[in-house]
Amino acid sequence: MPKKAAHGEGSLRQRPDGRWEYRIHVEGRAQPLSFYSKDDNGRGAKKQYRAWLKENINQAQVERIETVEGWSEVWLSGKKVTVAPKTYENYAHYVRQFILPAIGKKRLDDVRPYQIEQIFIENATLSRSALNEIKVCLQGIFKSARKNRLCLEDPTDGIVLKADPPKAPKVHTLPEVLKILAYAPTHKWGAYVELALYTGLRSEELCGLLWADVDMNSGTLYVHQVVAEVENPGDEALMKPDKNGKVCRRRKYAITPYPKSKKPRMVALNDQGLALLQRLARQRTSLYVLPGPDGDFMRPPMFAQRYGAVLRSLNQTLPPSEQVQMLSPHKARHTYASELLSGGADIRDVQEQLGHTKLTTTQLYLHTSLDAQKRNVVKLTY
């Protein structure tokens, strides 16, 4: 009779020929494995199994890493600590939803360019930004795999998505800006809109702005931190299932040390922006220029809600034909940039003021300026 071991530990029996057989099912194998010994109690057979396990499980792990699925997990785990939580969620979504179903089981070295192209062909109905996210993930996975010598060539080399012509960013017109700035001082949250239009800061930068970062004498702001979404682990952060049964995690925000450009910057204020901050300084109740309800930093979603409330209140005072566009706080930044360029500001100076790492990002706002120029050029008298 074989000696039955605990579940998952296999069974040991002595064969008619006197040998001991240790028989066990191994995950990933259809047939059980057997190990033999000629000792008195079968310990030698178990010892052979442990030796096999030590050698082959490591090999199995290596073989898994050599697949697209295995290396994708390694790549994503690295991104989890280097990018914002929302960005990581996007990467994980596109990898698991579109990349792994297509090529996840393949070895990295076996993937060919036509298989990469097929992913984009099969998902051609996705938005341009979604396709670009898939491309970013594919290139990241294979570039790091090649760097770690898991594949000889990068099958994503030469993959080019058809570029859409750049769209001019949405902005408030100058008449709209003048209406907003005239109304904002009368609203309890009007300073949110005024600060966005006078500084060009991102909402997360405004939320993290300290009074210690404001230099009234030089008329400058030191932008070195933001309020950003961070990971919120633990079961206590889970919300109740929604009507579709989906369980979401509560968002958590914290001060992080650098803005989006990854380096601090100085932002110059004009006279109106400086006067606004001097007015707010006389009413300060917190370390933060725009404190939250508890006196600590404000979260960007609340900033957006209060910003929108000011525009809605303004529109209630205006006839339908004269109402302003309901644009997001980030469009105030677009408006700031386009008006600077329209006024003749040097594009390099605007790049520094906005904290753009690439000049091409700032050049997008030139399209808005050109639109205004095209509207005016028709007035040429001759």
Side-chain angles (χ1 to χ4, degrees), residues 33-326:
L33 292 176
S34 292
F35 301 88
Y36 304 92
S37 67
K38 293 183 177 180
D39 53 11
D40 296 331
N41 50 21
R43 288 182 178 178
K46 285 191 173 183
K47 186 176 180 181
Q48 288 186 40
Y49 165 65
R50 287 193 295 271
W52 177 92
L53 193 65
K54 184 177 180 180
E55 179 181 353
N56 288 274
I57 291 302
N58 290 340
Q59 181 61 30
Q61 291 173 344
V62 171
E63 290 175 357
R64 174 167 173 74
I65 287 177
E66 289 178 344
T67 65
V68 175
E69 182 178 29
W71 187 249
S72 294
E73 292 177 3
V74 175
W75 181 76
L76 282 172
S77 66
K79 289 298 176 185
K80 195 167 188 176
V81 297
T82 58
V83 300
K86 192 66 178 177
T87 304
Y88 169 79
E89 287 179 16
N90 286 340
Y91 285 164
H93 168 73
Y94 287 110
V95 167
R96 293 164 184 162
Q97 192 74 22
F98 301 101
I99 296 175
L100 297 188
I103 58 174
K105 300 302 180 184
K106 292 185 174 295
R107 292 180 70 254
L108 291 158
D109 227 8
D110 292 338
V111 178
R112 299 292 178 261
Y114 79 89
Q115 293 167 326
I116 300 295
E117 291 176 359
Q118 192 64 31
I119 295 175
F120 294 103
I121 293 172
E122 292 176 356
N123 298 289
T125 56
L126 293 176
S127 67
R128 181 62 52 187
S129 61
L131 291 174
N132 192 62
E133 289 282 353
I134 294 173
K135 179 184 175 184
V136 168
C137 292
L138 282 166
Q139 289 179 330
I141 290 167
F142 282 98
K143 181 179 180 180
S144 60
R146 187 177 181 184
K147 186 177 181 179
N148 285 275
R149 300 180 182 177
L150 294 173
C151 58
L152 296 176
E153 296 182 358
D154 183 351
T156 65
D157 280 348
I159 299 297
V160 178
L161 298 180
K162 183 181 177 182
D164 291 334
K167 295 181 180 178
K170 284 188 176 181
V171 297
H172 285 293
T173 64
L174 184 56
E176 286 181 327
V177 172
L178 297 177
K179 291 177 186 177
I180 293 170
L181 292 177
Y183 175 78
T186 68
H187 196 282
K188 62 179 179 179
W189 294 326
Y192 294 66
V193 183
E194 291 180 278
L195 276 173
L197 287 170
Y198 282 134
T199 66
L201 297 188
R202 303 175 179 94
S203 58
E204 59 267 29
E205 292 171 344
L206 284 170
C207 289
L209 188 65
L210 293 163
W211 280 113
D213 302 327
V214 181
D215 188 336
M216 299 292 188
N217 294 325
S218 64
T220 58
L221 305 176
Y222 179 52
V223 182
H224 64 100
Q225 64 182 21
V226 297
V227 176
E229 186 177 354
V230 296
E231 188 178 4
N232 193 9
D235 292 340
E236 68 279 0
L238 295 174
M239 299 172 66
K240 292 181 180 180
D242 60 17
K243 61 181 180 181
N244 298 318
K246 183 178 179 181
V247 178
C248 297
R249 192 172 290 277
R250 289 184 180 85
R251 291 185 174 184
K252 181 179 178 181
Y253 291 85
I255 291 288
T256 59
Y258 293 107
K260 192 174 180 180
S261 60
K262 304 300 181 187
K263 63 178 182 179
R265 72 183 191 278
M266 299 297 294
V267 172
L269 296 167
N270 65 358
D271 292 341
Q272 294 90 337
L274 181 59
L276 168 64
L277 283 162
Q278 289 171 339
R279 188 183 83 215
L280 294 176
R282 292 192 289 270
Q283 308 164 7
R284 60 183 289 184
T285 58
S286 167
L287 295 174
Y288 292 92
V289 175
L290 294 178
D294 56 357
D296 201 1
F297 61 80
M298 176 171 292
R299 301 188 312 156
M302 178 174 285
F303 179 94
Q305 291 170 2
R306 294 184 173 183
Y307 182 98
V310 177
L311 298 186
R312 283 191 295 273
S313 296
L314 168 60
N315 281 337
Q316 290 173 0
T317 68
L318 299 172
S321 60
E322 297 179 16
Q323 292 185 354
V324 303
Q325 302 173 79
M326 286 297 300

